[in-house]
Amino acid sequence: MTMVSGKVTLLSAGPGDLDLLTIRAAKALERADVLLLDDLANAQLATLAPNARVIRVGKRGGCKSTPQAFIQRLMRRYAAKGLHVVRAKGGEALLFGRAGEEIADLRRAGIEVEIVNGISSGFAAAAGLGVSLTHREHCQGVTFVTAHLQDDSEPDWAALAATRTTLAIYMGMSRIAHVCARLAETLAPSTPAAVVQWAGSASERRLLSRLGSLADDVAAAGFGSPAVILIGDAIGAAEGFALDASSASAQDDANAAPRRPLDGYAYAA
C-alpha cells in the first residue's frame, strides 16, 4: 500500500481547561494545517493552531451531530493532500471517542496516524472531588464504562457491580435512574456516589450522594450532560462526604466556615 504524504493526529484535548493539555498536544496544534474540533473540546484550542483551517465537527449525545463517516472522509481528504490534520477530541482520545474506528479507517487508506494522550473526564472528576479511584482500602481497581452500547443495549450492570471496583460511568445522565436501580440490585443503596458535570473546566459542578438517592438528587440539583457518574466505596473519601445536614447548618449559621459538600449537596468548583 502506498502511504500518503499527509498525516492525522488524534489529539486528546482533555476535559476543559487549556492548562490541562500536554506539551505534546500543544506542539501538534501549532503544526496543524487542519483542525477538526470536537464539540466537547475547548473552542479556544483554535488559538493554539494559528495556521490551521478550523472545522467544527460536533458530536454530543442527544444533540444534532456531525456523522462519523463524514468526519472520517474529511480526515482522509485533507491528509491525501499532504496536510497535517489534527482531530481534537474532548478528554482522552482512546476512551469512548471512536478512535478505534478512525485508526482502522486511516490505516486502510495508507495514512499515518499519531496519537496524543490526555486527561479523561473521569480522572478530572476524581481530582475535583479529591479522591483516588483506586484507593486500596476500598477497592481493587476502577472500571470505565459507557451506559449504553452501539446498538443502544446496556452493559451487564450486575456483573459490573460484582467487581467491587470504582465505576466511572460515561454518557449515563439520560438514564441515570435506570442505571442506579440496576446497580442497587447488587450494591447497597448506601454505596457512595457522585456526579461531576463539566469536569476539569471552569464550569465544573459536583454532587455527592449515595446510590439509592443519586438519581433524585441529580434531578433536584439540575445536573445534566456532559457529566461523569462515579460509584463505589472510594468515593466516600471525598471531603465533607460524611457530614450531616444539621452540623453543616450550624456551621453556616455561625459563619464559622464556608459550606462544605454534603450527601445530596451540589457545589461548584
Side-chain angles (χ1 to χ4, degrees):
M1 177 184 296
T2 302
M3 296 292 289
V4 302
S5 57
K7 77 171 186 178
V8 173
T9 296
L10 300 182
L11 186 142
S12 305
D17 286 351
L18 293 185
D19 58 4
L20 293 178
L21 281 176
T22 64
I23 294 174
R24 186 177 178 186
K27 289 180 178 179
L29 288 165
E30 186 177 4
R31 296 191 301 266
D33 298 308
V34 178
L35 174 60
L36 302 182
L37 188 57
D38 184 79
D39 192 42
L40 288 178
N42 190 328
Q44 293 182 348
L45 283 173
T47 65
L48 302 180
N51 302 312
R53 175 182 178 182
V54 180
I55 303 174
R56 301 189 183 280
V57 287
K59 295 187 71 64
R60 288 187 59 184
C63 303
K64 185 176 181 180
S65 299
T66 306
Q68 181 65 27
F70 178 71
I71 296 173
Q72 291 174 195
R73 284 200 300 273
L74 286 177
M75 289 190 287
R76 295 195 306 269
R77 178 191 306 167
Y78 287 112
K81 294 180 179 180
L83 301 177
H84 179 197
V85 181
V86 172
R87 165 84 159 106
K89 301 166 175 281
E92 161 57 49
L94 302 184
L95 192 62
F96 306 126
R98 297 196 177 184
E101 301 167 40
E102 295 173 357
I103 292 169
D105 183 66
L106 293 166
R107 284 177 177 168
R108 283 193 297 267
I111 297 171
E112 178 187 353
V113 183
E114 175 189 29
I115 298 169
V116 176
N117 296 118
I119 299 173
S120 174
S121 57
F123 292 111
L129 294 171
V131 299
S132 167
L133 295 175
T134 56
H135 195 309
R136 65 180 184 174
E137 293 181 8
H138 301 296
C139 63
Q140 59 183 11
V142 56
T143 301
F144 296 94
V145 61
T146 177
H148 55 88
L149 306 178
Q150 185 174 4
D151 60 1
D152 207 37
S153 61
E154 61 181 332
D156 185 339
W157 294 113
L160 287 169
T163 65
R164 302 294 171 173
T165 61
T166 303
L167 299 180
I169 303 171
Y170 291 62
M171 295 170 279
M173 293 300 285
S174 65
R175 55 183 73 188
I176 188 170
H178 173 75
V179 170
C180 290
R182 292 298 308 277
L183 290 173
E185 294 173 4
T186 303
L187 297 175
S190 60
T191 301
V195 167
V196 181
Q197 184 177 18
W198 291 110
S201 75
S203 302
E204 179 175 301
R205 300 174 67 207
R206 313 169 198 135
L207 183 143
L208 295 173
S209 184
R210 297 185 185 274
L211 179 60
S213 56
L214 181 63
D216 289 339
D217 290 339
V218 162
F223 275 55
S225 298
V228 179
I229 304 166
L230 299 173
I231 296 174
D233 289 341
I235 307 305
E239 183 180 10
F241 191 92
L243 288 179
D244 59 40
S246 59
S247 63
S249 296
Q251 282 186 332
D252 288 342
D253 292 342
N255 294 317
R259 183 162 184 166
R260 298 167 65 197
L262 313 174
D263 295 353
Y265 180 71
Y267 59 108

